[in-house]
């Protein structure tokens, strides 16, 4: 099967921090996994750019796609044009006839906000785009529901979760050694952060929906001094997080690390105790999935997350973490306190999270599911080598 992969979500070559985020991690992982699949011959049209330069480079990139996609489909005898999000898929209505005439189909992977962006003109157009696609692969049930509400025919929809690179993210053999390595990396030691302290981590852009400011303001002041909160990333809510730190005197317990390299991200996942995803509802800004929860889980870090939107598809209660009601400070405090001072419980949850994530969300298994569904769409068959959680399989139909 010849796939033309189209994505605007790749960082600059050799500079992975130039363009980071869930959409970017999904696109890169998906592209690599499909390229390695034995049933796939991969072709691509990728925009490699920094996050800041994306708005300036997008118009030219999108304009070139209008003539590049039909030409490559015809020249390379492409079977499937696969868009990593609805952004580039927005061109489909203008070229679907030419692609069909050349014998190919068009599919897209909606990730969340690329469907729900609350702009009247966009919301009118996204309905047209969804109806023009031959196959749509939402990354969660929440994103799938948003697509259906905008007119996507159910027969064209297949929910396929994100995957995680087991080679890049893996659990440490010695978790205490991993913790010591993390402490050194942030300039601390067991004298300043003792072994029985509980280290929480959140990873992502500082957007309102992520809930980092809310968690810092509403939850951290109610937790004991030996609960530490590390936050990576930057964004519009960074000043609000800092304001909460200043207001509650949390300078020694809440630390913003800024953008971190892949190596440091691995240290955080392997050396800390609980991954926190405290999302809050923001109209038009849905959390489609939460790839970082998979990365943390693969490294043996259980997740404590808001039971909201696409997050709900990732966390299986007691297996890779816990879901609590969004914006329920009491529930977050109660869950954190269960783990505080109980290293045995932390270690058992760590082993369970790593095992569950590896079984259900490895990229080879997810890529195989994409291939099977695309081949079915093309009228052929294949077999799967991996599994996805039963609730996602039921959603996919």
């Amino acid at each position: 099967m010849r796939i033309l992969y189209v994505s605007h979500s790749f960082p600059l070559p050799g500079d992975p921090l130039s363009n980071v985020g869930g959409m970017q991690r999904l696109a890169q992982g998906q592209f690599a996994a499909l390229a390695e699949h034995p049933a796939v011959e991969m072709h691509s049209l990728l925009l490699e750019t920094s996050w800041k330069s994306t708005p300036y480079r997008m118009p030219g990139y999108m304009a070139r796609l209008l003539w590049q996609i039909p030409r490559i489909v015809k020249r390379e005898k492409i079977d499937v044009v696969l868009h990593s999000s609805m952004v580039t898929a927005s061109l489909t209505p203008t070229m679907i006839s030419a692609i069909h005439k050349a014998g190919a189909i068009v599919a897209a992977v909606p990730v969340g906000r690329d469907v729900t962006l609350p702009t009247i003109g966009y919301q009118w157009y996204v309905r047209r785009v969804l109806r023009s696609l031959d196959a749509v692969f939402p990354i969660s049930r929440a994103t799938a529901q948003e697509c259906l509400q905008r007119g996507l025919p159910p027969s064209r929809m297949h929910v396929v979760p994100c995957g995680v690179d087991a080679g890049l993210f893996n659990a440490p053999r010695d978790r205490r050694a991993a913790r010591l390595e993390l402490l050194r990396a942030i300039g601390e030691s067991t004298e300043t952060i003792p072994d029985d302290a509980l280290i929480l981590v959140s990873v992502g852009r500082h957007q309102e929906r992520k809930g980092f400011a809310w968690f810092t303001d509403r939850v951290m002041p109610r937790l004991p001094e030996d609960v530490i909160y590390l936050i990576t990333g930057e964004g519009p809510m960074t000043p609000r997080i800092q304001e909460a730190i200043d207001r509650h005197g949390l300078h020694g317990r809440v630390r913003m690390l800024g953008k971190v390299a892949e190596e440091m991200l691995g240290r955080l996942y392997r050396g800390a105790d609980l991954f926190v995803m405290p999302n809050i509802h923001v109209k038009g800004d849905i959390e489609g999935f939460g790839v970082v929860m998979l990365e943390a889980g693969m490294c043996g870090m259980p997740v404590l997350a808001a039971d909201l939107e696409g997050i709900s598809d990732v966390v299986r209660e007691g297996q890779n973490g816990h879901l609590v009601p969004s914006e329920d400070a009491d529930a977050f405090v109660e869950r954190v306190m269960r783990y505080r001072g109980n290293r045995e419980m932390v270690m058992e949850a760590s082993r369970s999270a790593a095992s569950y994530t590896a079984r259900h969300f490895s990229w080879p298994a997810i890529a195989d599911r994409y291939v099977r569904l695309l081949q079915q769409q093309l009228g052929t068959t294949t077999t799967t080598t991996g599994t996805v959680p039963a609730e996602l399989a039921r959603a996919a139909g």
Side-chain angles (χ1 to χ4, degrees):
M1 181 169 56
R2 298 179 181 88
I3 295 178
L4 174 59
Y5 194 82
V6 184
S7 177
H8 75 297
S9 301
F10 276 62
L12 293 168
D15 187 6
L17 293 182
S18 62
N19 200 353
V20 297
M23 180 184 290
Q24 289 75 12
R25 300 188 84 83
L26 165 62
Q28 293 172 70
Q30 185 182 65
F31 176 76
L34 287 171
E36 293 175 1
H37 197 285
V40 172
E41 177 185 308
M42 191 69 109
H43 302 257
S44 64
L45 287 169
L46 310 176
L47 176 61
E48 297 174 318
T49 180
S50 68
W51 172 255
K52 292 182 179 180
S53 297
T54 298
Y56 306 103
R57 297 192 59 191
M58 276 295 289
Y61 171 72
M62 296 289 281
R64 289 191 297 274
L65 290 180
L66 287 170
W67 61 268
Q68 287 177 321
I69 290 176
R71 187 183 68 173
I72 293 175
V73 166
K74 184 176 181 179
R75 185 186 68 209
E76 303 296 339
K77 296 181 173 55
I78 297 296
D79 298 301
V80 179
V81 178
L82 178 60
H83 295 273
S84 71
S85 75
M86 292 292 288
V87 176
T88 54
S90 64
L91 299 173
T92 302
T94 65
M95 63 178 73
I96 190 66
S97 296
I99 292 173
H100 282 171
K101 186 176 181 180
I105 63 172
V106 183
V109 183
V111 297
R113 194 168 187 267
D114 57 345
V115 176
T116 64
L117 185 68
T119 302
I120 294 176
Y122 184 81
Q123 285 302 306
W124 171 83
Y125 190 67
V126 78
R127 294 174 179 271
R128 183 182 175 195
V129 176
L130 285 168
R131 289 193 296 269
S132 71
L133 293 165
D134 299 297
V136 178
F137 301 109
I139 60 176
S140 66
R141 290 174 294 175
T143 303
Q145 188 60 39
E146 297 290 346
C147 292
L148 292 174
Q149 290 176 0
R150 289 161 177 79
L152 174 67
S155 60
R156 301 181 194 175
M157 184 189 78
H158 309 276
V159 178
V160 181
C162 300
V164 63
D165 187 343
L168 187 60
F169 299 100
N170 47 73
R173 294 182 179 180
D174 185 340
R175 202 151 195 98
R176 173 167 169 72
R179 183 185 179 95
L180 293 175
E181 184 179 354
L182 171 60
L183 293 182
R184 286 193 295 269
I186 62 174
E188 302 288 351
S189 69
T190 54
E191 293 182 1
T192 55
I193 300 181
D195 288 343
D196 58 354
L198 192 70
I199 302 178
L200 315 179
V201 169
S202 287
V203 172
R205 287 201 183 97
H206 296 181
Q207 299 166 313
E208 185 179 3
R209 80 167 191 271
K210 295 295 185 181
F212 301 161
W214 174 85
F215 190 85
T216 302
D217 186 46
R218 300 291 300 278
V219 179
M220 283 304 298
R222 298 177 54 186
L223 294 171
E225 293 291 321
D226 59 356
V227 178
I228 311 299
Y229 186 34
L230 306 178
I231 310 170
T232 77
E234 299 173 348
M237 295 299 289
T238 300
R240 291 276 298 277
I241 299 171
Q242 188 62 56
E243 288 172 8
I245 293 172
D246 296 339
R247 185 167 57 253
H248 297 289
L250 297 170
H251 303 87
R253 298 177 49 215
V254 179
R255 183 175 302 185
M256 288 190 287
L257 305 179
K259 291 183 179 180
V260 300
E262 208 79 68
E263 184 179 5
M264 181 60 186
L265 192 60
R267 290 193 184 108
L268 287 163
Y269 289 151
R270 298 181 184 99
D273 300 308
L274 287 178
F275 189 85
V276 181
M277 195 87 171
N279 282 54
I280 63 177
H281 176 69
V282 175
K283 185 177 180 180
D285 196 8
I286 185 176
E287 185 70 58
F289 193 79
V291 177
V292 289
M293 291 187 290
L294 299 185
E295 296 172 350
M298 191 69 84
C299 292
M301 187 189 294
V303 176
L304 177 58
D307 189 1
L308 185 71
E309 300 161 351
I311 296 172
S312 304
D313 281 355
V314 183
V315 182
R316 190 72 175 268
E317 180 62 35
Q319 296 198 44
N320 64 331
H322 311 280
L323 292 171
V324 298
S326 176
E327 298 188 72
D328 189 334
D330 290 338
F332 273 99
V333 169
E334 190 272 335
R335 274 294 180 184
V336 170
M337 291 301 291
R338 287 192 194 184
Y339 283 93
R340 176 181 174 255
N342 192 339
R343 301 311 298 177
E344 184 177 342
M345 183 179 183
V346 172
M347 295 304 293
E348 177 56 35
S350 172
R351 289 188 288 268
S352 178
S355 175
Y356 179 85
T357 307
R359 289 198 312 273
H360 295 294
F361 294 106
S362 67
W363 263 124
I366 302 302
D368 200 54
R369 184 167 177 80
Y370 274 115
V371 169
R372 178 175 65 84
L373 290 169
L374 286 171
Q375 288 183 328
Q376 287 178 351
Q377 191 73 29
L378 291 166
T380 59
T381 60
T382 188
T383 59
T384 59
T385 59
T387 62
V388 295
E391 61 270 23
L392 290 183
R394 287 195 296 271

